[in-house]
Amino acid sequence: MGLISVLVFAVSRDVTAFLLDTGLLFEEFFEQASALLAPTLAFFTYYSFVVIVFGSFYRIIDRVIPGDHFLVAGGVRELTFLEAMYFSIITLSTVGYGDVVPASLLVRAVASLLIVIGVWLIIFGFSEVLRYARERDHRRHGRD
């Protein structure tokens, strides 16, 4: 027991310093994260808006315009609203799993536009969030 007490006493300074450093790192991390909350929420709001608009557009095309517009799991059928939202998210994120596939030229054109918007969002959206963080950091530290 005495040996354990000596060992704990010997490393207690290092453990305390480590815990303090870790606490300071977490404090800085959460401060930075809270500073990015507003532009990140703006980005996700715009992203969600685009998903909903295009998902609704896919659903309207599928319901109103005659013809086969989508292959779902290898078969031609009408999309449900949730499948239209899913297809919009997958297309906007440029993942394209292939379980929902555009079958008409109109839907392919709309999906192509959504892909371009998705790439634009990735490039410029994250760039703007980072620019906001840099500008905020410069203002906070009194630099121009």
Side-chain angles (χ1 to χ4, degrees):
M1 217 37 158
L3 183 59
I4 293 174
S5 297
V6 170
L7 183 63
V8 168
F9 181 74
V11 297
S12 64
R13 183 173 192 272
D14 293 334
V15 170
T16 303
F18 170 75
L19 291 174
L20 285 172
D21 286 343
T22 304
L24 290 172
L25 285 172
F26 275 117
E27 182 181 5
E28 186 175 332
F29 169 77
F30 286 115
E31 184 179 312
Q32 290 292 328
S34 67
L36 293 177
L37 187 62
T40 302
L41 285 176
F43 172 81
F44 282 119
T45 300
Y46 183 73
Y47 193 91
S48 299
F49 176 75
V50 171
V51 165
I52 292 167
V53 166
F54 275 83
S56 298
F57 195 60
Y58 291 134
R59 180 74 169 135
I60 290 168
I61 288 172
D62 209 24
R63 300 263 314 170
V64 174
I65 298 175
D68 298 330
H69 296 287
F70 291 95
L71 292 170
V72 182
V76 176
R77 70 171 172 83
E78 198 172 277
L79 284 182
T80 66
F81 183 73
L82 289 178
E83 288 171 334
M85 290 297 131
Y86 167 78
F87 180 68
S88 183
I89 291 169
I90 296 306
T91 305
L92 182 62
S93 64
T94 68
V95 173
Y97 290 125
D99 51 349
V100 179
V101 179
S104 70
L105 290 177
L106 174 61
V107 174
R108 287 179 184 166
V110 173
S112 297
L113 176 63
L114 187 56
I115 290 168
V116 170
I117 291 171
V119 171
W120 178 83
L121 271 173
I122 290 168
I123 292 170
F124 293 109
F126 286 115
S127 172
E128 285 301 307
V129 169
L130 293 175
R131 183 184 60 79
Y132 175 86
R134 281 192 300 271
E135 286 178 1
R136 185 179 181 281
D137 189 48
H138 286 289
R139 285 191 308 266
R140 194 169 124 219
H141 291 98
R143 293 179 260 171
D144 289 323

